[in-house]
Amino acid sequence: MIESRKRTEDGRIVTDPIVPASVFNDTYSDDFNIFIRLGLQPVSSEWKEDEINALDTDDKKQAFIRQDIVDELMREGLTIPQNVIIIGTVNMDDTTNTFSRKVIDRAMTFETIVNTFGLDYFEKDVPLHYVKNPLPGEYFISDEVRATQMIESGRFSLTEKEEQDVLAFINGINKDMEGTPFKISYRILNETILLYHSKRRLKELLEENGDSRVTIHDGLNTIFDDILMQKVLPRIEGDYDKCCKCLTKLSSRCAENSWNKSEDKIEFMIERFGKDKSGFTSFWN
């Protein structure tokens, strides 16, 4: 369902309907109260359900305070709204099953690790500490789905060098993973460009408000490090024969390009094989 997202001509991101419009249209005359059960508030709080259901067609067109929602349900059905962001957490250890590569392909992986505790632990509730002045939620609402569509329409552009760098990044990663089941494809190429677009746009929005929390120190190179950590390395797991060769090549590529986060993670993954090379490695701590 999420992968059915598309950008409409008016700039909205929509999905295929979870509940088709025909369901709401078919119940419009027979069971108009379905909209009350969905939580919509009638124009008059004194109306009873049977009174609303008995309204004539013209009155039903103005029966709810948010009549626009009724109209949208009848026109497009129930879809996943653009402002819904799906976030999940999971503890990864020896007692849990790992994610399939299909799942990782469709998500952005953010790893959280407990660092060294300091004396400030006794001064505040560190584990439940919330970020002060969080960024507004609307900054994180996606406004694009396909990088090629975004570029063709002129809503975003890459320089010729940036285009070459993106392709060299994807092709280089796949070259390092040749002969393994871990190679990446269009989806990660698409999301590399979308992530670059999002970070550039977020940086612009924050700078307009005098906020410098988001930086892109060296353009796409930072994005490449992020993509390796969030999309590529979580795909790699297995024994020495299956993984070590590609991890070693990726490590060299990271060192050449100063992808420090990914290089540190790869070192951790290689160490898990052990001195006798009999261990099993994965991205997860």
Side-chain angles (χ1 to χ4, degrees), residues 13-78:
I13 305 298
V14 300
T15 65
D16 289 344
I18 301 172
V19 180
S22 59
V23 171
F24 299 101
N25 285 288
D26 291 344
T27 59
Y28 183 83
S29 58
D30 298 331
D31 186 14
F32 196 64
N33 297 324
I34 186 175
F35 298 112
I36 294 179
R37 292 195 291 274
L38 287 172
L40 295 176
Q41 184 176 350
V43 171
S44 173
S45 59
E46 297 179 357
W47 281 350
K48 298 179 181 179
E49 287 193 16
D50 56 348
E51 292 176 329
I52 296 178
N53 210 48
L55 293 173
D56 61 34
T57 301
D58 290 336
D59 287 337
K60 285 181 178 178
K61 292 180 180 179
Q62 302 176 24
F64 291 93
I65 293 175
R66 289 298 307 273
Q67 187 66 34
D68 58 311
I69 295 178
V70 175
D71 296 340
E72 182 177 328
L73 288 171
M74 296 179 65
R75 183 179 64 252
E76 300 178 5
L78 178 62

Side-chain angles (χ1 to χ4, degrees), residues 92 98-99 104 109 111 234 265 268 272 282-285:
M92 298 299 295
T98 57
F99 291 112
I104 294 171
T109 303
E111 186 182 31
K265 173 58 74 170
F268 161 80
R272 299 186 78 171
S282 75
F283 174 87
W284 315 102
N285 279 304

Side-chain angles (χ1 to χ4, degrees), residues 145-148 184-191:
V145 177
R146 293 181 178 84
T148 50
I184 55 181
S185 59
Y186 161 80
R187 186 179 285 106
I188 295 179
L189 169 58
N190 182 64
E191 294 192 5

